[in-house]
Amino acid sequence: MTMQAASTEITSRTAAIIDEMKGLEGPLLPILHSIQEEFGHVPKDALPVIADGLNLSRAEVHGVVSFYHDFRAHPAGRHVLKLCQAEACQSMGSDAVAAKVKQLLGIDFHETTRDGSVTLEPVYCLGLCACSPSAMLDGEVIGRLDDEKIEEIVAEVRS
Ligand code: FES
């Protein structure tokens, strides 16, 4: 698909989602979630369409997208690894876990490895505090992260 065609596709799908959902109370977040579901991220080209459709300024829409960690500005890798950085996990060494994962993958939070295999994101409590430090790989929670588990996870996303 050419860039022009991709951009037209984004605009028309975004407009259709807005049409479907703009009657909801507080429609911005549900619309952004649907767009992310559709494209795997919230494309830059969708932002002005949302702003026009909901009568908001582009700055307002952009502010909401960047405030919520759930929204991605770029397509994710084949795997998405989320590391819990909330309090209970912090107290059980999530900083060291994050440092190790970042070093093994060679990326920081909110980045995707160059081969497109994995996107690394922070998350704030997975409801698995009793088994902290915890993570989520492609929607599945993993508790009690230690060096061995980290290496297994990294090997899995790399394979
Ligand atoms: S703080 Fe990490 S799972 Fe709750």
Side-chain angles (χ1 to χ4, degrees):
M1 203 187 287
T2 64
M3 269 177 59
Q4 177 75 42
S7 156
T8 311
E9 163 87 10
I10 288 167
T11 307
S12 66
R13 279 302 302 143
T14 301
I17 289 170
I18 294 169
D19 263 355
E20 250 166 61
M21 304 183 87
K22 70 173 174 218
L24 298 177
E25 192 153 325
L28 180 54
L29 287 179
I31 286 172
L32 289 171
H33 278 292
S34 287
I35 290 170
Q36 175 145 301
E37 224 164 85
E38 174 97 15
F39 301 108
H41 69 296
V42 179
K44 205 167 59 40
D45 288 348
L47 302 185
V49 186
I50 301 170
D52 288 350
L54 297 184
N55 237 338
L56 298 168
S57 72
R58 290 179 192 198
E60 279 171 295
V61 178
H62 185 264
V64 170
V65 172
S66 41
F67 179 78
Y68 289 96
H69 297 281
D70 273 353
F71 299 125
R72 280 184 209 108
H74 304 285
R78 290 190 296 284
H79 299 280
V80 177
L81 177 59
K82 298 182 184 220
L83 300 177
C84 182
Q85 299 294 291
E87 209 175 326
C89 286
Q90 284 279 346
S91 72
M92 292 299 282
S94 60
D95 277 348
V97 170
K100 176 151 184 146
V101 172
K102 288 177 187 177
Q103 186 215 335
L104 288 172
L105 293 176
I107 52 172
D108 207 339
F109 281 136
H110 306 294
E111 291 182 355
T112 300
T113 50
R114 207 181 290 195
D115 63 0
S117 61
V118 58
T119 299
L120 186 63
E121 292 176 347
V123 67
Y124 296 90
C125 197
L126 292 163
L128 204 68
C129 312
C131 301
S132 46
S134 31
M136 183 181 261
L137 177 60
D138 301 331
E140 251 177 65
V141 285
I142 308 166
R144 299 204 171 87
L145 289 174
D146 54 18
D147 281 357
E148 203 179 318
K149 279 197 190 166
I150 293 170
E151 271 156 32
E152 268 171 34
I153 293 171
V154 168
E156 186 176 332
V157 298
R158 286 291 206 194
S159 65

PDB file of all heavy atoms in Angstrom, residues 78 112-118 157-158:
ATOM      1  N   ARG A  78       6.129  -7.956  17.190  1.00  0.00           N
ATOM      2  CA  ARG A  78       5.314  -9.186  17.170  1.00  0.00           C
ATOM      3  C   ARG A  78       4.906  -9.595  18.576  1.00  0.00           C
ATOM      4  O   ARG A  78       3.859 -10.179  18.779  1.00  0.00           O
ATOM      5  CB  ARG A  78       6.105 -10.322  16.502  1.00  0.00           C
ATOM      6  CG  ARG A  78       6.284 -10.136  15.007  1.00  0.00           C
ATOM      7  CD  ARG A  78       6.848 -11.397  14.367  1.00  0.00           C
ATOM      8  NE  ARG A  78       8.194 -11.724  14.831  1.00  0.00           N
ATOM      9  CZ  ARG A  78       9.294 -11.095  14.439  1.00  0.00           C
ATOM     10  NH1 ARG A  78       9.221 -10.085  13.590  1.00  0.00           N
ATOM     11  NH2 ARG A  78      10.474 -11.450  14.890  1.00  0.00           N
ATOM     12  N   THR A 112      10.736  -0.563  20.282  1.00  0.00           N
ATOM     13  CA  THR A 112      10.611  -1.880  19.660  1.00  0.00           C
ATOM     14  C   THR A 112      11.981  -2.263  19.126  1.00  0.00           C
ATOM     15  O   THR A 112      12.685  -1.404  18.583  1.00  0.00           O
ATOM     16  CB  THR A 112       9.586  -1.813  18.505  1.00  0.00           C
ATOM     17  OG1 THR A 112       8.334  -1.399  19.057  1.00  0.00           O
ATOM     18  CG2 THR A 112       9.399  -3.152  17.815  1.00  0.00           C
ATOM     19  N   THR A 113      12.351  -3.530  19.282  1.00  0.00           N
ATOM     20  CA  THR A 113      13.651  -3.956  18.753  1.00  0.00           C
ATOM     21  C   THR A 113      13.672  -3.740  17.235  1.00  0.00           C
ATOM     22  O   THR A 113      12.629  -3.772  16.579  1.00  0.00           O
ATOM     23  CB  THR A 113      13.913  -5.448  19.043  1.00  0.00           C
ATOM     24  OG1 THR A 113      12.765  -6.191  18.627  1.00  0.00           O
ATOM     25  CG2 THR A 113      14.170  -5.697  20.508  1.00  0.00           C
ATOM     26  N   ARG A 114      14.853  -3.547  16.709  1.00  0.00           N
ATOM     27  CA  ARG A 114      14.960  -3.216  15.291  1.00  0.00           C
ATOM     28  C   ARG A 114      14.415  -4.318  14.371  1.00  0.00           C
ATOM     29  O   ARG A 114      13.910  -4.054  13.293  1.00  0.00           O
ATOM     30  CB  ARG A 114      16.422  -2.938  14.958  1.00  0.00           C
ATOM     31  CG  ARG A 114      16.522  -1.991  13.787  1.00  0.00           C
ATOM     32  CD  ARG A 114      17.923  -1.724  13.444  1.00  0.00           C
ATOM     33  NE  ARG A 114      18.534  -0.898  14.501  1.00  0.00           N
ATOM     34  CZ  ARG A 114      19.678  -0.283  14.322  1.00  0.00           C
ATOM     35  NH1 ARG A 114      20.326  -0.395  13.202  1.00  0.00           N
ATOM     36  NH2 ARG A 114      20.187   0.452  15.300  1.00  0.00           N
ATOM     37  N   ASP A 115      14.488  -5.571  14.850  1.00  0.00           N
ATOM     38  CA  ASP A 115      13.963  -6.668  14.024  1.00  0.00           C
ATOM     39  C   ASP A 115      12.444  -6.811  14.168  1.00  0.00           C
ATOM     40  O   ASP A 115      11.839  -7.722  13.597  1.00  0.00           O
ATOM     41  CB  ASP A 115      14.651  -7.997  14.392  1.00  0.00           C
ATOM     42  CG  ASP A 115      14.361  -8.423  15.837  1.00  0.00           C
ATOM     43  OD1 ASP A 115      13.640  -7.692  16.545  1.00  0.00           O
ATOM     44  OD2 ASP A 115      14.858  -9.483  16.245  1.00  0.00           O
ATOM     45  N   GLY A 116      11.829  -5.912  14.951  1.00  0.00           N
ATOM     46  CA  GLY A 116      10.369  -5.930  15.078  1.00  0.00           C
ATOM     47  C   GLY A 116       9.853  -7.065  15.950  1.00  0.00           C
ATOM     48  O   GLY A 116       8.660  -7.357  15.953  1.00  0.00           O
ATOM     49  N   SER A 117      10.752  -7.732  16.710  1.00  0.00           N
ATOM     50  CA  SER A 117      10.286  -8.902  17.456  1.00  0.00           C
ATOM     51  C   SER A 117       9.515  -8.520  18.724  1.00  0.00           C
ATOM     52  O   SER A 117       8.572  -9.204  19.090  1.00  0.00           O
ATOM     53  CB  SER A 117      11.443  -9.845  17.787  1.00  0.00           C
ATOM     54  OG  SER A 117      12.387  -9.186  18.584  1.00  0.00           O
ATOM     55  N   VAL A 118       9.911  -7.444  19.388  1.00  0.00           N
ATOM     56  CA  VAL A 118       9.262  -7.157  20.677  1.00  0.00           C
ATOM     57  C   VAL A 118       9.232  -5.666  20.997  1.00  0.00           C
ATOM     58  O   VAL A 118      10.165  -4.936  20.698  1.00  0.00           O
ATOM     59  CB  VAL A 118       9.946  -7.981  21.812  1.00  0.00           C
ATOM     60  CG1 VAL A 118      11.418  -7.681  21.918  1.00  0.00           C
ATOM     61  CG2 VAL A 118       9.254  -7.761  23.162  1.00  0.00           C
ATOM     62  N   VAL A 157      10.856 -14.303  23.060  1.00  0.00           N
ATOM     63  CA  VAL A 157      10.460 -13.223  22.142  1.00  0.00           C
ATOM     64  C   VAL A 157      11.430 -13.075  20.968  1.00  0.00           C
ATOM     65  O   VAL A 157      11.072 -12.567  19.918  1.00  0.00           O
ATOM     66  CB  VAL A 157      10.296 -11.852  22.863  1.00  0.00           C
ATOM     67  CG1 VAL A 157       9.207 -11.917  23.888  1.00  0.00           C
ATOM     68  CG2 VAL A 157      11.594 -11.372  23.467  1.00  0.00           C
ATOM     69  N   ARG A 158      12.642 -13.549  21.182  1.00  0.00           N
ATOM     70  CA  ARG A 158      13.646 -13.446  20.125  1.00  0.00           C
ATOM     71  C   ARG A 158      13.542 -14.569  19.097  1.00  0.00           C
ATOM     72  O   ARG A 158      14.121 -14.492  18.032  1.00  0.00           O
ATOM     73  CB  ARG A 158      15.050 -13.514  20.739  1.00  0.00           C
ATOM     74  CG  ARG A 158      15.471 -12.281  21.459  1.00  0.00           C
ATOM     75  CD  ARG A 158      15.668 -11.198  20.476  1.00  0.00           C
ATOM     76  NE  ARG A 158      16.608 -10.205  20.953  1.00  0.00           N
ATOM     77  CZ  ARG A 158      16.745  -9.038  20.387  1.00  0.00           C
ATOM     78  NH1 ARG A 158      16.005  -8.719  19.359  1.00  0.00           N
ATOM     79  NH2 ARG A 158      17.601  -8.167  20.843  1.00  0.00           N
TER      80      ARG A 158
END
